Amino acid sequence: LIEPHLEHHFGQFVNLSSLRGSHQLIAPSSLLNKQPKLFVRVPASSLLSRKSRVGLMSSPSTPSTPSPSDSRAAKQAVLNQKWLEKATYDNTVVFLLENLEKLNCPFSLSSSARIQTCPPTHTGGFSMSASDPHIILCSNNIPDYASFHRTLVHELVHAIDKCRSKADWADVRHHACTEVRASGLSGECKWGVELSRGNLAVVGGWEKCVKRRAKLSLGHHGRDGERAVEEVFGV
């Protein structure tokens, strides 16, 4: 089952059929029984220092001391790996993975969810590469499991939009469309999450949040999403 807040909003999002063709963005509901294996990229371990030789004697090799930032990054990557494993049993994640498979776009978290270090402004991303589509999860910018889950769902929504409706990210309206859906379906605009950001709007708060975050995502790609988001919201 999809989470209640997603089920409530599932019919309220723009779809690309209004922009091009007859494809629908919303996928049918059922659950996968498969539990994908996990994959994570963890920074390489530190190298041993070379032996120093004095005459015929040599001192034992000692590992180089990793910097504090490297240690934190390695620990955070391992923590994100555990969160990824936990997420594979989450109803919403399973729902999205199953529908990708039904759309003939099977998406395996074992090979297509990649944990890595990113710039400070990013928590995740989706690669549209035809030969290697994948999700990026930014371990250095994701502080807890709730944030990790929202980021993973956000990027999986992009994957569904790309597969089912052939979303064209070069078209700013298509890009705005999928950002609106991802922001709304991921849970990142729940009242409690918005409250933690200091946004106290009660009436119309969810809509304001979805639009704001969709525009923010477009801005990260160097696009002015103000007009495009307003045009596609609710289409």
Side-chain angles (χ1 to χ4, degrees):
L1 299 176
I2 195 165
E3 290 185 354
H5 71 279
L6 297 182
E7 183 178 14
H8 174 72
H9 294 300
F10 213 78
Q12 297 185 20
F13 299 103
V14 292
N15 65 74
L16 292 181
S17 63
S18 64
L19 303 179
R20 182 182 64 197
S22 59
H23 300 291
Q24 295 296 317
L25 286 176
I26 296 175
S29 59
S30 55
L31 299 176
L32 277 177
N33 294 320
K34 300 178 182 177
Q35 302 302 335
K37 297 179 181 179
L38 303 178
F39 171 82
V40 63
R41 291 183 176 178
V42 180
S45 59
S46 59
L47 298 174
L48 294 179
S49 60
R50 294 177 63 85
K51 290 183 179 181
S52 59
R53 297 181 180 276
V54 180
L56 297 177
M57 301 296 293
S58 62
S59 60
S61 299
T62 57
S64 59
T65 304
S67 69
S69 60
D70 288 343
S71 296
R72 285 193 298 270
K75 289 178 181 178
Q76 199 64 22
V78 170
L79 186 57
N80 273 251
Q81 180 183 14
K82 293 179 179 179
W83 291 339
L84 183 61
E85 181 176 5
K86 180 178 179 179
T88 61
Y89 298 94
D90 174 80
N91 285 344
T92 303
V93 173
V94 172
F95 170 86
L96 295 169
L97 290 173
E98 183 197 39
N99 282 288
L100 279 166
E101 185 169 314
K102 285 184 176 182
L103 293 167
N104 199 29
C105 295
F107 197 90
S108 172
L109 293 183
S110 63
S111 59
S112 301
R114 303 178 185 178
I115 295 171
Q116 62 187 56
T117 300
C118 306
T121 55
H122 293 72
T123 56
F126 172 67
S127 168
M128 299 172 290
S129 168
S131 60
D132 183 28
H134 61 271
I135 283 173
I136 295 170
L137 298 161
C138 302
S139 59
N140 56 316
N141 298 324
I142 302 178
D144 50 48
Y145 175 72
S147 299
F148 181 93
H149 179 270
R150 291 192 294 269
T151 301
L152 179 59
V153 171
H154 183 114
E155 304 307 336
L156 284 172
V157 171
H158 286 327
I160 284 182
D161 288 352
K162 178 63 177 176
C163 176
R164 181 160 189 148
S165 297
K166 312 304 179 188
D168 179 8
W169 266 251
D171 185 326
V172 68
R173 296 181 76 230
H174 282 208
H175 193 174
C177 174
T178 190
E179 291 297 353
V180 164
R181 282 172 41 78
S183 295
L185 291 172
S186 65
E188 61 197 69
C189 286
K190 284 182 175 179
W191 183 82
V193 179
E194 272 289 85
L195 183 62
S196 70
R197 299 185 185 116
N199 298 317
L200 306 178
V202 176
V203 178
W206 179 84
E207 179 177 330
K208 292 176 183 176
C209 173
V210 170
K211 289 181 177 180
R212 185 186 72 248
R213 294 191 65 79
K215 292 171 185 177
L216 182 65
S217 292
L218 285 164
H220 286 159
H221 292 272
R223 295 182 131 172
D224 182 1
E226 186 72 31
R227 179 177 177 180
V229 168
E230 294 295 336
E231 285 180 351
V232 303
F233 190 89
V235 172

